[in-house]
Amino acid sequence: MACSGIGMALVDVDARWLQVNPALERMLGKGADTLAGRPVADAVHPDDAGELRRQWQALADGGQETLAASLRCLRPGGDVVHVALHAGVMRGDGGEPLYFIAQLRDDSARHAAEAALREMDASLERRVTERTATLEHAARQQELFAHGVSHDLRAPLRAIEGFARLLATRYGDALDEAGRGYLDRISGAVERMGGLIDSLLELSRATRTELKAEVVDLSLIAEWTYAELQEKDPGRDADLQVQQDLVVRGDERHLKLLFDHLLQNAWKFSRDREQVRIRVSGERLGDRLVVSVRDEGAGFDMRYADKVFEPFQRLHPPEQGGGHGLGLAIAQRIAERHGGRISAESAPGEGAVFRIELPVHDDSEEIQA
């Protein structure tokens, strides 16, 4: 025992120190002469002493084979040493307990590390809570701002539209061709501004609105969106082919909005083609479904692909179908909130293909809010 770096001791049947090694003397800050004959429980924190006495008695009575406990021992001056205690009983020929052999290891470093880790976890949890509250407040402010802007901008737009209509109705005959052209430009600008306001609200909702997880048939959504496009533009010759049974788990309202923007994008950039051709297909890859929306429209240069999903970035002028630059940003945000992503491939004059990668969730899983 004298050469051991771990505290070791012999303890009598009354749980009193008989013999201790130097390592235990250093651990407890007391010499062997001071410890000899003293109860082991006297060296232990009062809150731990009762349980220690119970286990010593159970060990002596044969109620348990060994003793293993985590204790707080007290050094002179009140310093606490965390100790891992292991003890066994030596018995005589008749089974009576003769003495105990105890091993005590200084466990203070582990306890300090665990305490530091708990404090770190608590601090991290507080920071996450504070950060979440800050983000929620910012999102709420953004939502209020978007709705406020929408309300404040629509009123003057309605006034502009109304006066332009009155001019056309009452004084249209007095206007020359240039004047009527100006009125047409005013009406077109009002329509574009109204569309921009609607898209800003859609972007806010796509970012903020809670998602509801359910089984969604993307094939049906694509056909639904296509029917709406044909109803708005019945004169266009169009051909849509949709692979059936493209099913995911997600928020139907948001995924419908995603396909609205993707198919509208394919439709408007096919304006110079005799026929609008759109292909929607999908492929299951592990736990994800990759849906491709392919068109044969104007396409774009892949050198500018990083701008495609950025708000207000336009790769085409209005006369070629370019809009406000929010549609694909909304689509990307919806895909990301479902735990997926969206990418694009294209070449000028050769159309484009947009790939939406979405998780195929089990019923027990929830989508990201």
Side-chain angles (χ1 to χ4, degrees), residues 174-207:
L175 296 174
D176 58 14
E177 184 175 351
R180 287 190 292 271
Y182 294 151
L183 280 179
D184 290 339
R185 290 187 180 185
I186 292 173
S187 298
V190 168
E191 183 178 357
R192 288 193 298 274
M193 189 62 181
L196 176 59
I197 293 172
D198 290 338
S199 294
L200 283 172
L201 288 176
E202 286 180 356
L203 181 60
S204 175
R205 285 192 291 267
T207 301

PDB file of all heavy atoms in Angstrom, residues 174-207:
ATOM      1  N   ALA A 174     -59.004  62.514 -76.605  1.00  0.00           N
ATOM      2  CA  ALA A 174     -58.250  63.754 -76.796  1.00  0.00           C
ATOM      3  C   ALA A 174     -56.741  63.518 -76.779  1.00  0.00           C
ATOM      4  O   ALA A 174     -55.969  64.426 -77.118  1.00  0.00           O
ATOM      5  CB  ALA A 174     -58.620  64.760 -75.708  1.00  0.00           C
ATOM      6  N   LEU A 175     -56.330  62.341 -76.393  1.00  0.00           N
ATOM      7  CA  LEU A 175     -54.905  62.038 -76.319  1.00  0.00           C
ATOM      8  C   LEU A 175     -54.381  61.545 -77.654  1.00  0.00           C
ATOM      9  O   LEU A 175     -55.088  60.841 -78.395  1.00  0.00           O
ATOM     10  CB  LEU A 175     -54.639  60.966 -75.249  1.00  0.00           C
ATOM     11  CG  LEU A 175     -54.973  61.344 -73.796  1.00  0.00           C
ATOM     12  CD1 LEU A 175     -54.781  60.133 -72.892  1.00  0.00           C
ATOM     13  CD2 LEU A 175     -54.086  62.498 -73.337  1.00  0.00           C
ATOM     14  N   ASP A 176     -53.178  61.945 -77.968  1.00  0.00           N
ATOM     15  CA  ASP A 176     -52.563  61.397 -79.177  1.00  0.00           C
ATOM     16  C   ASP A 176     -51.977  60.016 -78.858  1.00  0.00           C
ATOM     17  O   ASP A 176     -52.098  59.498 -77.760  1.00  0.00           O
ATOM     18  CB  ASP A 176     -51.491  62.347 -79.714  1.00  0.00           C
ATOM     19  CG  ASP A 176     -50.399  62.637 -78.682  1.00  0.00           C
ATOM     20  OD1 ASP A 176     -50.331  61.912 -77.660  1.00  0.00           O
ATOM     21  OD2 ASP A 176     -49.619  63.580 -78.895  1.00  0.00           O
ATOM     22  N   GLU A 177     -51.339  59.440 -79.834  1.00  0.00           N
ATOM     23  CA  GLU A 177     -50.808  58.095 -79.671  1.00  0.00           C
ATOM     24  C   GLU A 177     -49.770  58.029 -78.551  1.00  0.00           C
ATOM     25  O   GLU A 177     -49.724  57.080 -77.768  1.00  0.00           O
ATOM     26  CB  GLU A 177     -50.180  57.617 -80.983  1.00  0.00           C
ATOM     27  CG  GLU A 177     -49.675  56.178 -80.922  1.00  0.00           C
ATOM     28  CD  GLU A 177     -49.160  55.699 -82.273  1.00  0.00           C
ATOM     29  OE1 GLU A 177     -49.354  56.420 -83.267  1.00  0.00           O
ATOM     30  OE2 GLU A 177     -48.561  54.617 -82.314  1.00  0.00           O
ATOM     31  N   ALA A 178     -48.934  59.070 -78.444  1.00  0.00           N
ATOM     32  CA  ALA A 178     -47.923  59.098 -77.391  1.00  0.00           C
ATOM     33  C   ALA A 178     -48.580  59.158 -76.012  1.00  0.00           C
ATOM     34  O   ALA A 178     -48.148  58.476 -75.073  1.00  0.00           O
ATOM     35  CB  ALA A 178     -46.987  60.286 -77.576  1.00  0.00           C
ATOM     36  N   GLY A 179     -49.630  59.974 -75.878  1.00  0.00           N
ATOM     37  CA  GLY A 179     -50.328  60.084 -74.602  1.00  0.00           C
ATOM     38  C   GLY A 179     -50.949  58.768 -74.184  1.00  0.00           C
ATOM     39  O   GLY A 179     -50.863  58.363 -73.010  1.00  0.00           O
ATOM     40  N   ARG A 180     -51.586  58.073 -75.158  1.00  0.00           N
ATOM     41  CA  ARG A 180     -52.160  56.766 -74.820  1.00  0.00           C
ATOM     42  C   ARG A 180     -51.059  55.759 -74.464  1.00  0.00           C
ATOM     43  O   ARG A 180     -51.241  54.892 -73.606  1.00  0.00           O
ATOM     44  CB  ARG A 180     -53.007  56.264 -75.992  1.00  0.00           C
ATOM     45  CG  ARG A 180     -54.331  57.027 -76.153  1.00  0.00           C
ATOM     46  CD  ARG A 180     -55.240  56.348 -77.154  1.00  0.00           C
ATOM     47  NE  ARG A 180     -54.692  56.426 -78.517  1.00  0.00           N
ATOM     48  CZ  ARG A 180     -54.934  57.442 -79.359  1.00  0.00           C
ATOM     49  NH1 ARG A 180     -55.692  58.464 -78.960  1.00  0.00           N
ATOM     50  NH2 ARG A 180     -54.407  57.461 -80.566  1.00  0.00           N
ATOM     51  N   GLY A 181     -49.911  55.900 -75.088  1.00  0.00           N
ATOM     52  CA  GLY A 181     -48.782  55.029 -74.741  1.00  0.00           C
ATOM     53  C   GLY A 181     -48.307  55.263 -73.317  1.00  0.00           C
ATOM     54  O   GLY A 181     -47.948  54.313 -72.600  1.00  0.00           O
ATOM     55  N   TYR A 182     -48.314  56.540 -72.929  1.00  0.00           N
ATOM     56  CA  TYR A 182     -47.925  56.846 -71.548  1.00  0.00           C
ATOM     57  C   TYR A 182     -48.887  56.210 -70.553  1.00  0.00           C
ATOM     58  O   TYR A 182     -48.470  55.674 -69.517  1.00  0.00           O
ATOM     59  CB  TYR A 182     -47.889  58.361 -71.332  1.00  0.00           C
ATOM     60  CG  TYR A 182     -46.825  59.074 -72.128  1.00  0.00           C
ATOM     61  CD1 TYR A 182     -47.010  60.396 -72.536  1.00  0.00           C
ATOM     62  CD2 TYR A 182     -45.633  58.437 -72.471  1.00  0.00           C
ATOM     63  CE1 TYR A 182     -46.036  61.055 -73.264  1.00  0.00           C
ATOM     64  CE2 TYR A 182     -44.656  59.095 -73.187  1.00  0.00           C
ATOM     65  CZ  TYR A 182     -44.858  60.403 -73.597  1.00  0.00           C
ATOM     66  OH  TYR A 182     -43.888  61.050 -74.318  1.00  0.00           O
ATOM     67  N   LEU A 183     -50.190  56.273 -70.857  1.00  0.00           N
ATOM     68  CA  LEU A 183     -51.177  55.658 -69.981  1.00  0.00           C
ATOM     69  C   LEU A 183     -50.967  54.143 -69.895  1.00  0.00           C
ATOM     70  O   LEU A 183     -51.093  53.541 -68.821  1.00  0.00           O
ATOM     71  CB  LEU A 183     -52.594  55.959 -70.470  1.00  0.00           C
ATOM     72  CG  LEU A 183     -53.170  57.329 -70.111  1.00  0.00           C
ATOM     73  CD1 LEU A 183     -54.569  57.482 -70.693  1.00  0.00           C
ATOM     74  CD2 LEU A 183     -53.212  57.510 -68.596  1.00  0.00           C
ATOM     75  N   ASP A 184     -50.661  53.548 -71.038  1.00  0.00           N
ATOM     76  CA  ASP A 184     -50.401  52.096 -71.029  1.00  0.00           C
ATOM     77  C   ASP A 184     -49.192  51.771 -70.161  1.00  0.00           C
ATOM     78  O   ASP A 184     -49.175  50.778 -69.433  1.00  0.00           O
ATOM     79  CB  ASP A 184     -50.175  51.586 -72.459  1.00  0.00           C
ATOM     80  CG  ASP A 184     -51.451  51.605 -73.293  1.00  0.00           C
ATOM     81  OD1 ASP A 184     -52.538  51.630 -72.684  1.00  0.00           O
ATOM     82  OD2 ASP A 184     -51.354  51.594 -74.531  1.00  0.00           O
ATOM     83  N   ARG A 185     -48.157  52.622 -70.231  1.00  0.00           N
ATOM     84  CA  ARG A 185     -46.968  52.396 -69.412  1.00  0.00           C
ATOM     85  C   ARG A 185     -47.283  52.551 -67.927  1.00  0.00           C
ATOM     86  O   ARG A 185     -46.770  51.803 -67.091  1.00  0.00           O
ATOM     87  CB  ARG A 185     -45.864  53.363 -69.802  1.00  0.00           C
ATOM     88  CG  ARG A 185     -45.263  53.090 -71.172  1.00  0.00           C
ATOM     89  CD  ARG A 185     -44.069  53.972 -71.421  1.00  0.00           C
ATOM     90  NE  ARG A 185     -43.474  53.717 -72.727  1.00  0.00           N
ATOM     91  CZ  ARG A 185     -42.353  54.284 -73.162  1.00  0.00           C
ATOM     92  NH1 ARG A 185     -41.714  55.156 -72.369  1.00  0.00           N
ATOM     93  NH2 ARG A 185     -41.868  54.002 -74.356  1.00  0.00           N
ATOM     94  N   ILE A 186     -48.123  53.540 -67.617  1.00  0.00           N
ATOM     95  CA  ILE A 186     -48.524  53.723 -66.212  1.00  0.00           C
ATOM     96  C   ILE A 186     -49.254  52.484 -65.706  1.00  0.00           C
ATOM     97  O   ILE A 186     -48.964  51.962 -64.616  1.00  0.00           O
ATOM     98  CB  ILE A 186     -49.407  54.975 -66.061  1.00  0.00           C
ATOM     99  CG1 ILE A 186     -48.573  56.235 -66.317  1.00  0.00           C
ATOM    100  CG2 ILE A 186     -50.042  55.015 -64.667  1.00  0.00           C
ATOM    101  CD1 ILE A 186     -49.392  57.508 -66.345  1.00  0.00           C
ATOM    102  N   SER A 187     -50.192  51.976 -66.506  1.00  0.00           N
ATOM    103  CA  SER A 187     -50.955  50.790 -66.097  1.00  0.00           C
ATOM    104  C   SER A 187     -50.040  49.583 -65.943  1.00  0.00           C
ATOM    105  O   SER A 187     -50.183  48.792 -64.999  1.00  0.00           O
ATOM    106  CB  SER A 187     -52.053  50.493 -67.132  1.00  0.00           C
ATOM    107  OG  SER A 187     -52.971  51.564 -67.203  1.00  0.00           O
ATOM    108  N   GLY A 188     -49.091  49.442 -66.875  1.00  0.00           N
ATOM    109  CA  GLY A 188     -48.154  48.323 -66.782  1.00  0.00           C
ATOM    110  C   GLY A 188     -47.270  48.413 -65.549  1.00  0.00           C
ATOM    111  O   GLY A 188     -46.998  47.402 -64.885  1.00  0.00           O
ATOM    112  N   ALA A 189     -46.831  49.646 -65.243  1.00  0.00           N
ATOM    113  CA  ALA A 189     -45.984  49.835 -64.061  1.00  0.00           C
ATOM    114  C   ALA A 189     -46.760  49.544 -62.784  1.00  0.00           C
ATOM    115  O   ALA A 189     -46.223  48.945 -61.836  1.00  0.00           O
ATOM    116  CB  ALA A 189     -45.432  51.259 -64.036  1.00  0.00           C
ATOM    117  N   VAL A 190     -48.029  49.959 -62.743  1.00  0.00           N
ATOM    118  CA  VAL A 190     -48.871  49.686 -61.580  1.00  0.00           C
ATOM    119  C   VAL A 190     -49.047  48.179 -61.401  1.00  0.00           C
ATOM    120  O   VAL A 190     -48.957  47.647 -60.285  1.00  0.00           O
ATOM    121  CB  VAL A 190     -50.245  50.365 -61.731  1.00  0.00           C
ATOM    122  CG1 VAL A 190     -51.223  49.841 -60.675  1.00  0.00           C
ATOM    123  CG2 VAL A 190     -50.110  51.875 -61.609  1.00  0.00           C
ATOM    124  N   GLU A 191     -49.268  47.473 -62.494  1.00  0.00           N
ATOM    125  CA  GLU A 191     -49.429  46.015 -62.420  1.00  0.00           C
ATOM    126  C   GLU A 191     -48.155  45.340 -61.922  1.00  0.00           C
ATOM    127  O   GLU A 191     -48.206  44.441 -61.081  1.00  0.00           O
ATOM    128  CB  GLU A 191     -49.814  45.468 -63.797  1.00  0.00           C
ATOM    129  CG  GLU A 191     -50.067  43.972 -63.799  1.00  0.00           C
ATOM    130  CD  GLU A 191     -50.500  43.463 -65.162  1.00  0.00           C
ATOM    131  OE1 GLU A 191     -50.668  44.289 -66.092  1.00  0.00           O
ATOM    132  OE2 GLU A 191     -50.654  42.228 -65.296  1.00  0.00           O
ATOM    133  N   ARG A 192     -47.001  45.793 -62.429  1.00  0.00           N
ATOM    134  CA  ARG A 192     -45.739  45.204 -61.988  1.00  0.00           C
ATOM    135  C   ARG A 192     -45.475  45.497 -60.513  1.00  0.00           C
ATOM    136  O   ARG A 192     -44.986  44.642 -59.772  1.00  0.00           O
ATOM    137  CB  ARG A 192     -44.579  45.713 -62.848  1.00  0.00           C
ATOM    138  CG  ARG A 192     -44.561  45.146 -64.255  1.00  0.00           C
ATOM    139  CD  ARG A 192     -43.248  45.435 -64.948  1.00  0.00           C
ATOM    140  NE  ARG A 192     -43.006  46.862 -65.113  1.00  0.00           N
ATOM    141  CZ  ARG A 192     -43.448  47.589 -66.133  1.00  0.00           C
ATOM    142  NH1 ARG A 192     -44.180  47.015 -67.080  1.00  0.00           N
ATOM    143  NH2 ARG A 192     -43.176  48.872 -66.216  1.00  0.00           N
ATOM    144  N   MET A 193     -45.808  46.717 -60.088  1.00  0.00           N
ATOM    145  CA  MET A 193     -45.609  47.070 -58.690  1.00  0.00           C
ATOM    146  C   MET A 193     -46.520  46.239 -57.791  1.00  0.00           C
ATOM    147  O   MET A 193     -46.105  45.783 -56.719  1.00  0.00           O
ATOM    148  CB  MET A 193     -45.881  48.560 -58.477  1.00  0.00           C
ATOM    149  CG  MET A 193     -45.489  49.063 -57.091  1.00  0.00           C
ATOM    150  SD  MET A 193     -43.720  48.900 -56.768  1.00  0.00           S
ATOM    151  CE  MET A 193     -43.603  49.510 -55.110  1.00  0.00           C
ATOM    152  N   GLY A 194     -47.756  46.034 -58.233  1.00  0.00           N
ATOM    153  CA  GLY A 194     -48.669  45.185 -57.469  1.00  0.00           C
ATOM    154  C   GLY A 194     -48.138  43.769 -57.354  1.00  0.00           C
ATOM    155  O   GLY A 194     -48.223  43.139 -56.291  1.00  0.00           O
ATOM    156  N   GLY A 195     -47.573  43.251 -58.443  1.00  0.00           N
ATOM    157  CA  GLY A 195     -46.980  41.919 -58.407  1.00  0.00           C
ATOM    158  C   GLY A 195     -45.787  41.849 -57.485  1.00  0.00           C
ATOM    159  O   GLY A 195     -45.570  40.841 -56.790  1.00  0.00           O
ATOM    160  N   LEU A 196     -44.992  42.920 -57.449  1.00  0.00           N
ATOM    161  CA  LEU A 196     -43.836  42.959 -56.554  1.00  0.00           C
ATOM    162  C   LEU A 196     -44.285  42.938 -55.095  1.00  0.00           C
ATOM    163  O   LEU A 196     -43.701  42.230 -54.259  1.00  0.00           O
ATOM    164  CB  LEU A 196     -43.007  44.208 -56.836  1.00  0.00           C
ATOM    165  CG  LEU A 196     -41.807  44.455 -55.919  1.00  0.00           C
ATOM    166  CD1 LEU A 196     -40.836  43.294 -55.966  1.00  0.00           C
ATOM    167  CD2 LEU A 196     -41.098  45.754 -56.299  1.00  0.00           C
ATOM    168  N   ILE A 197     -45.312  43.695 -54.777  1.00  0.00           N
ATOM    169  CA  ILE A 197     -45.827  43.710 -53.407  1.00  0.00           C
ATOM    170  C   ILE A 197     -46.331  42.319 -53.017  1.00  0.00           C
ATOM    171  O   ILE A 197     -46.055  41.813 -51.925  1.00  0.00           O
ATOM    172  CB  ILE A 197     -46.947  44.761 -53.264  1.00  0.00           C
ATOM    173  CG1 ILE A 197     -46.371  46.166 -53.426  1.00  0.00           C
ATOM    174  CG2 ILE A 197     -47.647  44.624 -51.918  1.00  0.00           C
ATOM    175  CD1 ILE A 197     -47.423  47.250 -53.493  1.00  0.00           C
ATOM    176  N   ASP A 198     -47.080  41.680 -53.927  1.00  0.00           N
ATOM    177  CA  ASP A 198     -47.572  40.327 -53.648  1.00  0.00           C
ATOM    178  C   ASP A 198     -46.412  39.365 -53.389  1.00  0.00           C
ATOM    179  O   ASP A 198     -46.474  38.533 -52.481  1.00  0.00           O
ATOM    180  CB  ASP A 198     -48.415  39.817 -54.819  1.00  0.00           C
ATOM    181  CG  ASP A 198     -49.740  40.553 -54.949  1.00  0.00           C
ATOM    182  OD1 ASP A 198     -50.194  41.138 -53.947  1.00  0.00           O
ATOM    183  OD2 ASP A 198     -50.308  40.535 -56.054  1.00  0.00           O
ATOM    184  N   SER A 199     -45.357  39.487 -54.176  1.00  0.00           N
ATOM    185  CA  SER A 199     -44.217  38.579 -54.024  1.00  0.00           C
ATOM    186  C   SER A 199     -43.453  38.841 -52.736  1.00  0.00           C
ATOM    187  O   SER A 199     -42.940  37.912 -52.110  1.00  0.00           O
ATOM    188  CB  SER A 199     -43.282  38.704 -55.239  1.00  0.00           C
ATOM    189  OG  SER A 199     -43.913  38.240 -56.413  1.00  0.00           O
ATOM    190  N   LEU A 200     -43.360  40.108 -52.329  1.00  0.00           N
ATOM    191  CA  LEU A 200     -42.718  40.410 -51.054  1.00  0.00           C
ATOM    192  C   LEU A 200     -43.477  39.764 -49.898  1.00  0.00           C
ATOM    193  O   LEU A 200     -42.871  39.220 -48.963  1.00  0.00           O
ATOM    194  CB  LEU A 200     -42.647  41.928 -50.847  1.00  0.00           C
ATOM    195  CG  LEU A 200     -41.562  42.667 -51.641  1.00  0.00           C
ATOM    196  CD1 LEU A 200     -41.751  44.174 -51.494  1.00  0.00           C
ATOM    197  CD2 LEU A 200     -40.169  42.264 -51.158  1.00  0.00           C
ATOM    198  N   LEU A 201     -44.798  39.789 -49.969  1.00  0.00           N
ATOM    199  CA  LEU A 201     -45.598  39.131 -48.936  1.00  0.00           C
ATOM    200  C   LEU A 201     -45.416  37.619 -48.993  1.00  0.00           C
ATOM    201  O   LEU A 201     -45.360  36.946 -47.959  1.00  0.00           O
ATOM    202  CB  LEU A 201     -47.072  39.497 -49.098  1.00  0.00           C
ATOM    203  CG  LEU A 201     -47.449  40.926 -48.718  1.00  0.00           C
ATOM    204  CD1 LEU A 201     -48.925  41.190 -49.012  1.00  0.00           C
ATOM    205  CD2 LEU A 201     -47.158  41.191 -47.250  1.00  0.00           C
ATOM    206  N   GLU A 202     -45.340  37.070 -50.221  1.00  0.00           N
ATOM    207  CA  GLU A 202     -45.112  35.633 -50.353  1.00  0.00           C
ATOM    208  C   GLU A 202     -43.762  35.232 -49.764  1.00  0.00           C
ATOM    209  O   GLU A 202     -43.644  34.194 -49.102  1.00  0.00           O
ATOM    210  CB  GLU A 202     -45.172  35.222 -51.830  1.00  0.00           C
ATOM    211  CG  GLU A 202     -46.569  35.205 -52.419  1.00  0.00           C
ATOM    212  CD  GLU A 202     -46.565  34.799 -53.875  1.00  0.00           C
ATOM    213  OE1 GLU A 202     -45.455  34.600 -54.439  1.00  0.00           O
ATOM    214  OE2 GLU A 202     -47.653  34.656 -54.462  1.00  0.00           O
ATOM    215  N   LEU A 203     -42.737  36.050 -49.999  1.00  0.00           N
ATOM    216  CA  LEU A 203     -41.413  35.760 -49.446  1.00  0.00           C
ATOM    217  C   LEU A 203     -41.452  35.804 -47.923  1.00  0.00           C
ATOM    218  O   LEU A 203     -40.843  34.960 -47.250  1.00  0.00           O
ATOM    219  CB  LEU A 203     -40.395  36.763 -49.983  1.00  0.00           C
ATOM    220  CG  LEU A 203     -38.943  36.573 -49.516  1.00  0.00           C
ATOM    221  CD1 LEU A 203     -38.423  35.204 -49.924  1.00  0.00           C
ATOM    222  CD2 LEU A 203     -38.055  37.672 -50.079  1.00  0.00           C
ATOM    223  N   SER A 204     -42.173  36.764 -47.369  1.00  0.00           N
ATOM    224  CA  SER A 204     -42.307  36.856 -45.920  1.00  0.00           C
ATOM    225  C   SER A 204     -43.020  35.633 -45.366  1.00  0.00           C
ATOM    226  O   SER A 204     -42.593  35.046 -44.366  1.00  0.00           O
ATOM    227  CB  SER A 204     -43.077  38.131 -45.546  1.00  0.00           C
ATOM    228  OG  SER A 204     -43.313  38.191 -44.162  1.00  0.00           O
ATOM    229  N   ARG A 205     -44.104  35.208 -46.024  1.00  0.00           N
ATOM    230  CA  ARG A 205     -44.841  34.036 -45.556  1.00  0.00           C
ATOM    231  C   ARG A 205     -44.009  32.768 -45.713  1.00  0.00           C
ATOM    232  O   ARG A 205     -44.050  31.878 -44.855  1.00  0.00           O
ATOM    233  CB  ARG A 205     -46.159  33.904 -46.324  1.00  0.00           C
ATOM    234  CG  ARG A 205     -47.217  34.923 -45.891  1.00  0.00           C
ATOM    235  CD  ARG A 205     -48.568  34.569 -46.465  1.00  0.00           C
ATOM    236  NE  ARG A 205     -48.616  34.741 -47.903  1.00  0.00           N
ATOM    237  CZ  ARG A 205     -49.033  35.847 -48.506  1.00  0.00           C
ATOM    238  NH1 ARG A 205     -49.433  36.886 -47.787  1.00  0.00           N
ATOM    239  NH2 ARG A 205     -49.060  35.930 -49.822  1.00  0.00           N
ATOM    240  N   ALA A 206     -43.267  32.662 -46.825  1.00  0.00           N
ATOM    241  CA  ALA A 206     -42.436  31.479 -47.041  1.00  0.00           C
ATOM    242  C   ALA A 206     -41.350  31.368 -45.989  1.00  0.00           C
ATOM    243  O   ALA A 206     -40.882  30.274 -45.664  1.00  0.00           O
ATOM    244  CB  ALA A 206     -41.805  31.530 -48.437  1.00  0.00           C
ATOM    245  N   THR A 207     -40.926  32.502 -45.445  1.00  0.00           N
ATOM    246  CA  THR A 207     -39.876  32.514 -44.430  1.00  0.00           C
ATOM    247  C   THR A 207     -40.427  32.313 -43.028  1.00  0.00           C
ATOM    248  O   THR A 207     -39.794  31.667 -42.196  1.00  0.00           O
ATOM    249  CB  THR A 207     -39.122  33.858 -44.486  1.00  0.00           C
ATOM    250  OG1 THR A 207     -38.563  34.032 -45.792  1.00  0.00           O
ATOM    251  CG2 THR A 207     -38.010  33.916 -43.454  1.00  0.00           C
TER     252      THR A 207
END
